[in-house]
Amino acid sequence: MTDTSSSFPQGDGRPEGGLQGPTGADRVPEERGRTTIADSVVEKIVGTAARDVPGIHALGAGMSRTMGAVRERVPGGGRASVRGGVKVEVGERQAAVDLVVVVEYGVPITDLAGDVRVSVIAAVERLTGLEVVEVNIAVDDVHLPDEEDDTESRVA
């Protein structure tokens, strides 16, 4: 036998028939709190997605790449930053991305920019749920096959 009577005392101010609206297990998880994503998290996602695109040699402008290379060579300096050359603006539901890249010589830049946009947008939207409204790409340099990498700096 199932008891359908309420365990609440009469006149407690609750609406007749029980609670109104979705509660407890009836509420979807998205309605049970707020999630914020730091700009630095999105920058790392963007940097990783952009570096994975064939034809991208490096991220960042000349000086930031040089400083990153020096930092890598100093004991305890850590690994290269994935965020170098990446700037994002993150809102509640949207993100905008600015990238500075160095491309490999011989790769069509407009095609490469399209590939980077596809990779970045897919990664950010899949991992964060944010809508990417724009991905601005500035090509700072072209890496020639006979050029020495910045990571092979003269700092010892």
Side-chain angles (χ1 to χ4, degrees):
M1 183 169 144
T2 305
D3 182 11
T4 58
S5 65
S6 171
S7 61
F8 297 115
Q10 294 297 329
D12 68 350
R14 294 179 190 252
E16 189 174 315
L19 299 174
Q20 299 291 319
T23 61
D26 295 334
R27 290 180 58 201
V28 293
E30 292 82 7
E31 295 175 355
R32 295 187 187 192
R34 183 174 168 189
T35 302
T36 57
I37 301 171
D39 290 8
S40 62
V41 171
V42 178
E43 287 172 351
K44 285 183 179 182
I45 293 168
V46 168
T48 302
R51 286 177 196 272
D52 287 346
V53 175
I56 293 293
H57 177 73
L59 298 181
M63 187 52 120
S64 68
R65 287 193 325 269
T66 301
M67 292 305 293
V70 170
R71 200 171 26 254
E72 281 181 53
R73 309 279 271 167
V74 173
R79 299 180 340 174
S81 172
V82 183
R83 298 175 4 204
V86 179
K87 181 175 183 334
V88 300
E89 291 181 36
V90 178
E92 279 189 42
R93 295 186 188 116
Q94 297 179 326
V97 176
D98 293 322
L99 281 170
V100 179
V101 300
V102 177
V103 301
E104 294 288 348
Y105 177 78
V107 177
I109 293 173
T110 54
D111 294 345
L112 179 63
D115 293 345
V116 169
R117 282 188 181 93
V118 167
S119 179
V120 165
I121 291 169
V124 171
E125 290 185 351
R126 180 174 52 85
L127 295 173
T128 68
L130 295 168
E131 175 192 7
V132 179
V133 294
E134 65 182 4
V135 177
N136 300 310
I137 300 170
V139 178
D140 183 63
D141 199 359
V142 174
H143 179 258
L144 301 174
D146 59 343
E147 282 183 331
E148 199 174 294
D149 279 345
D150 287 338
T151 57
E152 299 171 10
S153 68
R154 296 179 208 158
V155 177

